[in-house]
Amino acid sequence: MSRPEDTLPPDLHYNDTEARKYTTSSRIQNIQAEMTHRALELLALPTPSLILDIGCGSGLSGEILSTIPSSQNGPHTWIGLDISPSMLATALERDVEGDLLLADIGQGVPFRAGSFDAAISISAIQWLCNADSSEVSAMGRLSRFFNGLYASLKRGGRAVCQFYPKNEQQRTMISGAAIKAGFGAGILEDGGGRRVLRRIWF
Amino acid sequence: MKVLTLNFLTCAVKACKSSTASFPLHPKDCELVSDTIEANPALIYNVLPRVDWAALITTASELGFPTLPAQPPTKEELEADEKMMGELHTLLLETQISEGMLRCGNCGHEYRVKEGIANFLLPNHLV
């Protein structure tokens, strides 16, 4: 199967048709839900929290964050960033509770220092490795993202980023950028090595 | 966009990172809507110490709300005063900007808000 990351940038790939396909596919919904729950398990939040959702898309993960019962220390309030207007439009149609921002995480994370209890990112940051114009480099985008993310988390805040690296080189590039920004990074592999769940903390 | 979110957002322009005038962003020509959100006191207790109260006072007055007290309420005060808790919940979570602009006080960049979604995409030379 070809990787969507190899063909088009994310704001063009996820047009109205792709955004709807992604959101209504029950296979993707299930995978997304499973990974969101796994991320929450890793975050182990002790109280209802303010969470940044990086690459929130149509809000599939966010919806889960909004409905965690108080017996499991929820519900959480979330702010989602995404570069695809079509994905965000789909989120609007689905009337999600979190706030949505149209933003390119490769340009940084526009929040003041110490804003969030935690951050999650499900299947998004591999898109950062694509530099779509000659003016920007993948390394520059990765480092702006991780530096901004690190600063936006409160002291002791954790980020769980699940991503699909294309190859070993990409994986090393992403974890290298995270560590350089100050994260203590660990990589967990779930699901036969195809799905890589990566936990970063500091 | 919730008032709570606005209290954490800063200008994304690189040259504004070191300027205190780039926070908070100033709402301009904004339409507000009210969304019903279930009370979540534990969330308010958790985020309140991180809310920039001075910025919240500015935002509330710019949006035309009654003046807030000069100091944030303590957790004990909120526990004892249901009305105050309710008002804070309404302001931070239920009051939302649906249309308008958010203007940076340092560089003057205006971020457009449409259907509650703020556009933070920047041209490359400002990143």
Side-chain angles (χ1 to χ4, degrees):
Chain A
M1 225 166 71
S2 74
R3 290 168 54 87
E5 291 85 353
D6 290 341
T7 50
L8 281 175
D11 45 336
L12 298 178
H13 173 74
Y14 288 112
N15 57 21
D16 290 353
T17 321
E18 288 295 327
R20 192 152 307 127
K21 262 203 312 208
Y22 189 93
T23 309
T24 51
S25 154
S26 60
R27 183 182 70 88
I28 284 177
Q29 278 182 10
N30 288 339
I31 295 176
Q32 190 94 11
E34 186 194 315
M35 291 193 298
T36 307
H37 285 293
R38 179 83 174 108
L40 277 171
E41 196 182 298
L42 292 170
L43 288 173
L45 297 165
T47 181
S49 299
L50 184 63
I51 301 179
L52 179 67
D53 184 352
I54 299 139
C56 63
S58 53
L60 290 172
S61 302
E63 236 168 14
I64 293 172
L65 302 178
S66 303
T67 48
I68 299 291
S70 54
S71 58
Q72 290 166 37
N73 303 334
H76 305 295
T77 298
W78 56 278
I79 299 174
L81 306 179
D82 209 281
I83 196 174
S84 158
S86 299
M87 276 291 195
L88 294 175
T90 311
L92 271 188
E93 278 168 32
R94 299 170 67 245
D95 203 18
V96 296
E97 220 174 78
D99 270 347
L100 306 166
L101 249 64
L102 179 63
D104 176 0
I105 53 168
Q107 296 189 335
V109 179
F111 292 94
R112 60 184 170 86
S115 296
F116 298 100
D117 292 289
I120 64 164
S121 176
I122 306 294
S123 312
I125 57 172
Q126 71 271 10
W127 287 98
L128 277 173
C129 296
N130 302 22
D132 307 307
S133 76
S134 53
E135 291 167 67
V136 291
S137 75
M139 267 324 283
R141 290 171 55 73
L142 277 168
S143 91
R144 263 194 304 277
F145 164 64
F146 280 114
N147 287 325
L149 176 64
Y150 187 91
S152 76
L153 291 170
K154 71 173 190 185
R155 193 178 282 267
R158 288 175 173 181
V160 174
C161 302
Q162 178 277 333
F163 63 98
Y164 297 102
K166 183 177 177 176
N167 48 38
E168 194 55 39
Q169 187 201 353
Q170 213 175 64
R171 200 171 97 148
T172 313
M173 191 159 102
I174 292 176
S175 59
I179 290 167
K180 222 169 159 188
F183 286 103
I187 293 198
L188 290 170
E189 294 202 20
D190 288 359
R194 269 186 63 217
R195 199 181 309 152
V196 180
L197 186 68
R198 172 146 187 286
R199 177 193 198 182
I200 43 192
W201 70 90
F202 59 98
Chain B
M1 169 183 294
K2 298 175 180 66
V3 171
L4 179 70
T5 303
L6 187 54
N7 197 266
F8 290 110
L9 266 180
T10 61
C11 182
V13 173
K14 192 180 179 190
C16 287
K17 291 265 180 282
S18 52
S19 161
T20 50
S22 64
F23 174 84
L25 298 173
H26 303 286
K28 220 183 103 188
D29 304 326
C30 283
E31 275 174 43
L32 300 180
V33 290
S34 174
D35 202 5
T36 309
I37 289 179
E38 210 173 312
N40 190 351
L43 176 87
I44 303 260
Y45 298 140
N46 176 16
V47 298
L48 197 58
R50 272 175 283 154
V51 166
D52 185 316
W53 194 259
L56 188 65
I57 291 176
T58 306
T59 303
S61 93
E62 286 172 346
L63 292 175
F65 287 99
T67 313
L68 296 174
Q71 296 298 324
T74 62
K75 188 180 174 192
E76 291 69 34
E77 283 167 338
L78 283 174
E79 277 168 344
D81 190 338
E82 220 170 276
K83 184 168 164 271
M84 194 196 285
M85 184 57 158
E87 284 169 359
L88 202 53
H89 173 76
T90 303
L91 176 65
L92 290 175
L93 297 168
E94 297 192 314
T95 305
Q96 307 189 359
I97 298 172
S98 61
E99 299 287 329
M101 299 279 191
L102 302 173
R103 187 174 188 280
C104 171
N106 187 49
C107 71
H109 190 89
E110 291 185 342
Y111 298 92
R112 177 84 199 271
V113 183
K114 247 176 104 180
E115 295 187 82
I117 301 178
N119 182 348
F120 267 75
L121 294 177
L122 289 178
N124 278 330
H125 69 277
L126 293 177
V127 175

